Amino acid sequence: MKDLLWKNIQTVKQQSPLIHNITNYVVMNNTANALLATGASPIMAHAHPEMVDMMNICQALVINIGTLDEYWVTSMKKAISQANQLQKPWVLDPVGAGATPYRDKVLAELVALKPTIIRGNASEIMALAKNNTSSTKGVDSSAESNEAVASAKFLAEKFQATVCISGATDIIINQKREIHLSNGHPLMAKITGMGCTATAIIAAFSAVIEDKLEATVSAMALLGVVGQLAAAESKGPGSLQINILDKLHSITEAEFISTLKITE
Amino acid sequence: MKDLLWKNIQTVKQQSPLIHNITNYVVMNNTANALLATGASPIMAHAHPEMVDMMNICQALVINIGTLDEYWVTSMKKAISQANQLQKPWVLDPVGAGATPYRDKVLAELVALKPTIIRGNASEIMALAKNNTSSTKGVDSSAESNEAVASAKFLAEKFQATVCISGATDIIINQKREIHLSNGHPLMAKITGMGCTATAIIAAFSAVIEDKLEATVSAMALLGVVGQLAAAESKGPGSLQINILDKLHSITEAEFISTLKITE
Amino acid sequence: MKDLLWKNIQTVKQQSPLIHNITNYVVMNNTANALLATGASPIMAHAHPEMVDMMNICQALVINIGTLDEYWVTSMKKAISQANQLQKPWVLDPVGAGATPYRDKVLAELVALKPTIIRGNASEIMALAKNNTSSTKGVDSSAESNEAVASAKFLAEKFQATVCISGATDIIINQKREIHLSNGHPLMAKITGMGCTATAIIAAFSAVIEDKLEATVSAMALLGVVGQLAAAESKGPGSLQINILDKLHSITEAEFISTLKITE
């Protein structure tokens, strides 16, 4: 499995897929730099008249609702519709799911368009699942970590999506498999937009890897290992952000294979 | 006083207040990272349908007009109205006050909503005061630095606000007290958005410290000391930006107490 | 020539021109920091009611269509109109020219307003030229690099503009002269917005240097040399971005003169 994941990392660098990002203002610069350092090519655009054309030339799409508003939600729907038409993968990042009724209303509309992959933290994945459960039972669970897994399974089933819960342990789930990754570092939570970066890198892998669970695992494995290695050289969250970009660009096979912790 | 300020810095880290930022595109990433490094939690959002709900879950609000437009000004007013309703503090950053009539018109409307705290550089504070003086005399003063203090006192009086003039010396004023801080480093002026970062950190402190002058002094003391310590390790404005984030996260009590220069 | 270019670099630092940037969300922070490190002063604004007033107080204008939409295109036209009225220079960065019909339509409208300077990569300059050729012949050329030069000459002639093709070799052309710069480093292509930074620095030089070809050459020479020197100290694209800002601020005459490779 580790060799396969490393091969996928090389595939992204070789094919350099063009990724269309409709994402939030806070992370655009970092997201673009992370895609470049991974070997992909970023496009950030949102004008209604060019959403279909942009999707035609890109291989995958990121939908991140962090700083959504009415105009941008329409941009998202136009791009998603064309991605679905062309059967190109798109990844939903439900930033702040559950924070406001508006966010939940928009998310319900977006998730109904069937994202190929969904990535969020435990709280976002649980909110997204609750938001899409009509029964009052919801997705019950005794423990919170279990509840996130139950929520992810529910979403994977209902929308035929691959779902990634990112956190201290990243959990990637589809209707058949569940894979756990235990890399990363607590300091990564002190940088804004690490999750958004993860989502964009997942999109890059989904553009060139047929199996979307494998694509998601490859992306999260890369970022987790890179973050862990970069944290070991960092004095704080500022230098960590820089070191992650450097390491995404320079990571070797030996570093990746020896650091990665994966279980299925 | 120094011990009290350090205690406040710990309070922010322990309580990790959620801060709603309606701020400019240029600084969003840095502002979010600075809030995280200080121990607070940032939210950046501006969609009209969620402004009230966002304010309900946040403990303080940043209003920064740097890249304002008609939509965003309405977002600001919606969030401010709810903050006032709930008696939650909000901090006004009058970026570019005096640069254009549009900016001054919007600022007159915002300041009339009674910000808890106002932070700007000397030029902005003077422009804001002139903009709110109906008499033709305005806020006269012989020397420019004195004029900024006179302007700050005028604003503090008229709007019952705490006012911070940031610069080589930071001056924090309310209707009763005036405190001077003499930390920082000239290279900080070569990084975009240091003032915006200051405003956001003030909001974080205002969320958890009852006395708003004390909250503002704590925030400015932290950033000034951190900037000074970070500059000593930096080769230029690029590395200074990174080192400030690292030092905000790692500063020790001994570093803070021994470096801080404060007079009342 | 090298001495003249260094003198121009000092002129920007001494006069610190105010540059109005209507640019894309992805690069705003870096662009502002690069202008500050070069010695200029950035303004980023786009509200329709203040476009004329902003242009009145600024010495040059950047128009970058990276994340354009309908509102921002109107902002651009308002600012350009006032710049032309006041005979202040403006620089067009045709990001993504040729990517979508909408982008090409907007670019045709903007270029017709006669930018003082146009900067793009080879692909963008070629797309912009094709987009403005009514004959079916277009701008023919056997080899691609030659085609970019032919396109630049066509644009320089048709719009009386200085045109800069940036790449491994930067080529700066007007109706009379053609200058080549061979500095920089391949890693610069792995940072988002290096081209946008180049455009903004060109605007800063165009604000204080009368000859616009000389201004463009000075700006590109500075950034190429700085990038090359910074790359030698960098571990990857993350640290390169930071080191470029540091070096823009601290570069010495000896470093500049000994590193610069220029031919006419």
Side-chain angles (χ1 to χ4, degrees):
Chain A
M1 180 85 170
K2 287 184 175 188
D3 289 337
L4 176 65
L5 299 183
W6 179 253
K7 187 169 145 279
N8 291 343
I9 291 168
Q10 300 314 304
T11 301
V12 170
K13 283 191 200 291
Q14 283 147 20
Q15 300 197 17
S16 194
L18 196 55
I19 309 302
H20 184 194
N21 296 268
I22 307 182
T23 187
N24 71 73
Y25 301 124
V26 186
V27 305
M28 281 187 187
N29 187 268
N30 290 114
T31 299
N33 277 326
L35 285 171
L36 284 168
T38 305
S41 293
I43 283 187
M44 265 86 181
H46 65 284
H48 295 172
E50 66 177 358
M51 283 303 91
V52 167
D53 297 307
M54 277 299 179
M55 206 55 241
N56 288 342
I57 62 171
C58 289
Q59 280 86 61
L61 171 66
V62 169
I63 297 292
N64 175 311
I65 67 159
T67 54
L68 84 174
D69 65 27
E70 298 87 340
Y71 187 95
W72 285 69
V73 170
T74 300
S75 307
M76 291 173 190
K77 290 177 182 171
K78 285 177 181 286
I80 291 169
S81 167
Q82 187 67 3
N84 283 346
Q85 188 78 25
L86 301 172
Q87 297 189 282
K88 293 181 179 180
W90 64 283
V91 188
L92 176 65
D93 192 327
V95 180
T100 68
Y102 175 62
R103 230 154 251 259
D104 284 346
K105 180 181 88 64
V106 168
L107 279 175
E109 293 166 7
L110 295 179
V111 83
L113 300 172
K114 295 207 168 184
T116 317
I117 303 164
I118 302 167
R119 190 221 56 86
N121 60 32
S123 150
E124 289 161 346
I125 295 297
M126 288 187 289
L128 193 60
K130 285 208 184 87
N131 191 27
N132 284 282
T133 314
S134 53
S135 104
T136 52
K137 269 203 313 175
V139 270
D140 289 337
S141 173
S142 49
E144 189 181 292
S145 64
N146 289 345
E147 186 180 343
V149 172
S151 297
K153 283 183 179 159
F154 169 82
L155 292 167
E157 194 78 34
K158 176 152 182 179
F159 300 105
Q160 291 95 55
T162 296
V163 180
C164 172
I165 310 162
S166 59
T169 298
D170 300 317
I171 303 173
I172 298 100
I173 283 175
N174 67 9
Q175 292 175 266
K176 293 179 192 159
R177 296 172 70 185
E178 177 177 335
I179 292 178
H180 289 222
L181 297 165
S182 307
N183 288 101
H185 189 278
L187 197 57
M188 294 170 78
K190 290 291 179 182
I191 307 176
T192 194
M194 278 311 303
C196 308
T197 292
T199 299
I201 295 180
I202 289 172
F205 279 82
S206 77
V208 296
I209 310 296
E210 191 54 37
D211 182 312
K212 301 316 176 195
L213 180 120
E214 188 190 310
T216 306
V217 170
S218 303
M220 296 304 293
L222 174 61
L223 188 58
V225 167
V226 160
Q228 186 172 323
L229 294 172
E233 300 175 3
S234 299
K235 290 183 299 171
S239 47
L240 178 55
Q241 188 169 22
I242 300 307
N243 289 335
I244 284 176
L245 291 175
D246 282 354
K247 188 59 81 181
L248 272 175
H249 182 257
S250 71
I251 186 170
T252 64
E253 181 171 9
E255 287 177 318
F256 180 75
I257 300 286
S258 67
T259 310
L260 180 62
K261 290 184 194 155
I262 182 170
T263 53
E264 181 160 7
Chain B
M1 181 87 172
K2 287 184 175 188
D3 289 338
L4 176 65
L5 300 182
W6 179 252
K7 188 169 145 280
N8 291 343
I9 291 167
Q10 299 314 304
T11 301
V12 169
K13 282 192 201 292
Q14 283 147 20
Q15 299 198 17
S16 195
L18 196 55
I19 309 303
H20 184 193
N21 297 268
I22 306 182
T23 188
N24 70 73
Y25 300 125
V26 186
V27 305
M28 282 187 185
N29 188 268
N30 290 115
T31 299
N33 277 327
L35 284 171
L36 284 167
T38 305
S41 293
I43 283 187
M44 265 88 180
H46 63 285
H48 294 173
E50 65 176 358
M51 283 302 92
V52 166
D53 296 307
M54 277 298 179
M55 205 57 241
N56 288 342
I57 61 171
C58 289
Q59 279 87 60
L61 171 66
V62 169
I63 297 292
N64 175 310
I65 67 159
T67 55
L68 84 175
D69 65 27
E70 297 86 341
Y71 186 95
W72 284 69
V73 171
T74 301
S75 307
M76 291 173 190
K77 291 177 181 170
K78 285 177 180 287
I80 292 168
S81 168
Q82 187 67 2
N84 283 346
Q85 187 80 23
L86 302 173
Q87 298 189 283
K88 293 181 180 181
W90 64 282
V91 188
L92 176 64
D93 192 328
V95 181
T100 68
Y102 175 63
R103 230 154 253 259
D104 284 345
K105 181 180 89 62
V106 167
L107 280 174
E109 293 166 7
L110 295 179
V111 82
L113 300 173
K114 296 206 167 185
T116 317
I117 303 165
I118 302 168
R119 190 220 57 86
N121 60 33
S123 150
E124 289 161 347
I125 294 298
M126 289 188 288
L128 194 60
K130 286 208 183 86
N131 191 29
N132 284 283
T133 314
S134 53
S135 104
T136 51
K137 270 204 311 175
V139 270
D140 288 338
S141 174
S142 49
E144 190 180 291
S145 63
N146 288 344
E147 187 179 344
V149 172
S151 297
K153 283 184 178 157
F154 169 83
L155 292 167
E157 195 76 34
K158 176 153 182 176
F159 300 107
Q160 291 96 54
T162 295
V163 180
C164 172
I165 310 162
S166 59
T169 298
D170 299 318
I171 302 173
I172 298 100
I173 283 174
N174 68 9
Q175 292 175 266
K176 294 178 191 160
R177 297 172 70 186
E178 177 176 333
I179 292 178
H180 289 223
L181 297 166
S182 306
N183 289 102
H185 188 279
L187 197 56
M188 293 170 80
K190 290 291 180 184
I191 307 176
T192 194
M194 278 310 302
C196 308
T197 292
T199 299
I201 295 180
I202 289 171
F205 279 82
S206 77
V208 296
I209 310 296
E210 191 53 36
D211 183 311
K212 300 317 174 195
L213 180 121
E214 188 190 311
T216 306
V217 170
S218 303
M220 295 305 292
L222 173 62
L223 188 58
V225 167
V226 160
Q228 185 172 324
L229 294 172
E233 301 175 2
S234 299
K235 290 182 300 171
S239 46
L240 178 56
Q241 188 169 23
I242 300 307
N243 289 334
I244 284 176
L245 291 175
D246 283 355
K247 189 59 80 180
L248 272 174
H249 182 256
S250 69
I251 187 169
T252 64
E253 182 172 9
E255 287 177 318
F256 180 75
I257 301 285
S258 67
T259 309
L260 181 62
K261 289 184 194 157
I262 183 170
T263 54
E264 181 160 6
Chain C
M1 181 86 172
K2 287 184 174 187
D3 289 338
L4 175 65
L5 300 183
W6 179 253
K7 187 168 145 282
N8 291 342
I9 292 168
Q10 300 314 304
T11 301
V12 170
K13 282 191 200 292
Q14 282 146 21
Q15 299 198 17
S16 195
L18 196 55
I19 309 303
H20 183 193
N21 296 269
I22 307 183
T23 189
N24 71 72
Y25 300 123
V26 185
V27 306
M28 282 187 186
N29 187 269
N30 290 114
T31 298
N33 277 326
L35 284 171
L36 284 167
T38 305
S41 294
I43 284 187
M44 265 86 181
H46 64 283
H48 294 172
E50 66 176 359
M51 283 303 92
V52 167
D53 297 307
M54 277 298 179
M55 205 56 240
N56 288 344
I57 61 171
C58 289
Q59 280 85 61
L61 171 66
V62 170
I63 297 292
N64 176 312
I65 68 159
T67 54
L68 83 176
D69 65 26
E70 298 87 340
Y71 186 95
W72 284 68
V73 171
T74 300
S75 308
M76 292 174 190
K77 290 177 182 171
K78 285 177 181 287
I80 292 170
S81 168
Q82 188 66 2
N84 284 346
Q85 187 80 23
L86 302 173
Q87 298 189 282
K88 292 181 179 179
W90 64 282
V91 188
L92 176 64
D93 192 328
V95 181
T100 68
Y102 175 62
R103 230 155 252 259
D104 284 345
K105 180 181 88 63
V106 168
L107 280 175
E109 293 166 6
L110 296 179
V111 83
L113 301 173
K114 295 206 168 184
T116 317
I117 303 164
I118 302 168
R119 190 222 54 87
N121 60 33
S123 150
E124 288 162 347
I125 294 298
M126 288 188 287
L128 194 60
K130 286 207 184 88
N131 192 29
N132 284 281
T133 315
S134 54
S135 105
T136 50
K137 269 203 314 175
V139 271
D140 289 337
S141 175
S142 48
E144 189 181 293
S145 63
N146 288 343
E147 188 179 342
V149 172
S151 297
K153 284 183 177 157
F154 169 82
L155 292 168
E157 195 76 35
K158 177 152 182 178
F159 300 106
Q160 290 96 54
T162 295
V163 180
C164 172
I165 309 162
S166 59
T169 298
D170 299 318
I171 303 172
I172 298 100
I173 283 174
N174 68 8
Q175 292 176 267
K176 295 179 191 159
R177 296 172 71 184
E178 176 176 334
I179 291 178
H180 290 222
L181 297 165
S182 306
N183 289 103
H185 189 279
L187 197 57
M188 293 170 79
K190 290 291 179 183
I191 307 176
T192 195
M194 277 311 302
C196 308
T197 292
T199 299
I201 296 180
I202 289 171
F205 279 82
S206 77
V208 296
I209 310 296
E210 190 54 37
D211 183 312
K212 300 316 176 197
L213 180 120
E214 188 190 311
T216 306
V217 171
S218 303
M220 296 306 291
L222 173 63
L223 188 58
V225 167
V226 160
Q228 186 172 324
L229 295 172
E233 300 174 3
S234 299
K235 290 183 299 170
S239 46
L240 178 56
Q241 189 169 23
I242 300 307
N243 289 334
I244 284 176
L245 291 175
D246 282 354
K247 189 58 81 179
L248 272 175
H249 183 256
S250 69
I251 186 169
T252 64
E253 182 172 7
E255 287 177 317
F256 180 74
I257 300 286
S258 67
T259 310
L260 181 62
K261 289 183 195 158
I262 183 170
T263 54
E264 180 160 7

